[in-house]
Structure formats: C-alpha cells, structure tokens
Amino acid sequence: MESTPASHRLHSGYNHQVARSWQEIGATLQANNLMYPLFIVDDPDAVQPVASMPGVSRYGVNQLEQVLPPLVQDGLTSVLLFGVPEGQKDERGSGADVPDNAVIKAIRTIKSCCPSLLIACDVCLCPYTSHGHCGILHEDGTINNPPSIARLAEVALAYAQAGADVVAPSDMMDWSCGGHQIPAGRRRPRRSLRRPLVRRASSPAASTGPFRDAAKSAPAFGDRRCYQLPPGGRGLAARAAAR
C-alpha cells in the first residue's frame, strides 16, 4: 500500500523540555503548569506598577535580566509575553511585528539571560490597533476575516523567527480557534528549521478589567463579544476545533 505523507508535524509539541512535560498524561498543579505573564512596554528601563493588579508591573526589556533569574531559581519554567505599545497605532496594527518591537526584543533578551525558560507570545492585534479590536475592520466596524487572518499570521511568524517557543492566538475568534489562522501562519515561508508550538490562549482572563488595564488593550468602541467565542461555550469550542 502506498504511504500517505503526514499532513502535519508533531515536533513543535516536544522541542522544549517544558513542552514535553505538557504532553504527559494527567494534570498536576506544579511550576511547569504555570506561565508568568509579562507585560512589555516600549521604554526599555521602565517599571510601571499596575494599579488594578497589586504586585504586578509592566517592564521594559532592560528590566528582564533583573526580574527573571530569581524567579527561575524559584522554579519558574515559562513566560507569556504581552506587548503594551506606547507609540503610534494604526488600523492594521503595524507595530506588532516591526523589528524593534518590544516583544521581539524581549524574546532575545530572555533567551540570553534565562535560556531554560519556555517563551510564549500572545498573538493579537488589539494592543497595536487604533481601534483596539483584534483584527482588521470593515468600514462598518465589523471584523474583516481574510486580511485579519493574514495579518495575525504575519505577527505569529515574526515572533517565531525571533525565537518564541509558543505562539498563542488570544484573539479567540471563531476562524482562529477553528484552525484557520494557525495553518495560515504555518504556510508562510519558513526561514527557520524549528517550528513553534501553537497554544490557543483562553479569553476569560483577557476580558477582565484588571487584565485590560495591565495590557492597555480595551477597545475604543463596542466590545469583542460579537467575534470571540464565549468562554463557557464548550460546544462551540469543540465544533471549532473539529473544523
């Protein structure tokens, strides 16, 4: 019988020691199950306390070499990076993947100072768009799916090429969770032999006031309920994952 080429590869699921631990059977509450969120701002020397989240601060890239090593010594194994841009924003979130993007700089800094850490990057346009929504909009304010998919794939590719181990599409739209954004990103020309693991970030945390305060990602108008999967919609999630 003629063999059929594999339609996908599993290597991204175990190329990192922490990723391999995630594949083990069963669920436990240990350090390797927890991801530390890092909110990265443009000012490289900044430390900005988040009023709504006591003990949490936004950091500039230069602060990471002091902040992270003690946490790694205490057992931290992975971080999740969120960009908090303070510069110019536009309708397509152009700042999300420019070479001097703070998240891209942070990936390289963390790889240098804490090489054992698994690095995940939030993939969403809302912090970088002038309207604060997760994709590119039609004139009437609704989501324009095709260019949004292409744009988010570009951002995911930029993070992967910078060295991210995981790309996490937190936009949580039906077309993203249904797998359309992920293949779009993987069809992009690959200049690296290593493929990042794709983990779908959940939306409940991102929908809370304190988190939006930390990430400065509240929409300028309307809300995201019209295009994000409901957090408790397990049936919708299962249908999306099966598409």
Side-chain angles (χ1 to χ4, degrees), residues 192-208:
S192 170
L193 294 177
R194 187 182 61 77
R195 290 155 58 90
L197 177 64
V198 176
R199 304 285 286 190
R200 290 170 184 153
S202 61
S203 60
S207 67
T208 63

Side-chain angles (χ1 to χ4, degrees), residues 46-190:
V47 177
Q48 302 176 356
V50 180
S52 59
M53 300 175 73
V56 174
S57 294
R58 306 180 196 94
Y59 294 107
V61 172
N62 292 347
Q63 297 293 333
L64 300 179
E65 294 181 350
Q66 287 74 47
V67 171
L68 290 178
L71 298 177
V72 172
Q73 292 178 4
D74 287 340
L76 180 68
T77 60
S78 61
V79 292
L80 177 55
L81 307 185
F82 296 88
V84 188
E86 298 166 334
Q88 187 69 29
K89 302 184 181 185
D90 59 28
E91 294 183 353
R92 67 185 305 272
S94 299
D97 57 349
V98 293
D100 60 348
N101 175 284
V103 170
I104 291 175
K105 289 181 178 179
I107 294 170
R108 294 169 178 157
T109 297
I110 296 169
K111 286 291 183 182
S112 176
C113 72
C114 299
S116 66
L117 279 178
L118 179 141
I119 301 175
C121 290
D122 174 68
V123 178
C124 195
L125 295 180
C126 60
Y128 300 93
T129 55
S130 54
H131 46 71
H133 283 278
C134 302
I136 295 173
L137 304 180
H138 289 291
E139 291 185 1
D140 64 359
T142 58
I143 289 290
N144 189 345
N145 282 3
S148 296
I149 296 170
R151 183 73 191 102
L152 287 160
E154 290 173 350
V155 175
L157 179 64
Y159 293 161
Q161 290 178 334
D165 300 294
V166 179
V167 290
S170 71
D171 52 274
M172 289 297 291
M173 299 188 210
D174 56 352
W175 44 268
S176 171
C177 296
H180 302 296
Q181 178 199 134
I182 294 166
R186 286 181 169 166
R187 284 195 300 268
R188 303 282 304 178
R190 293 191 292 273

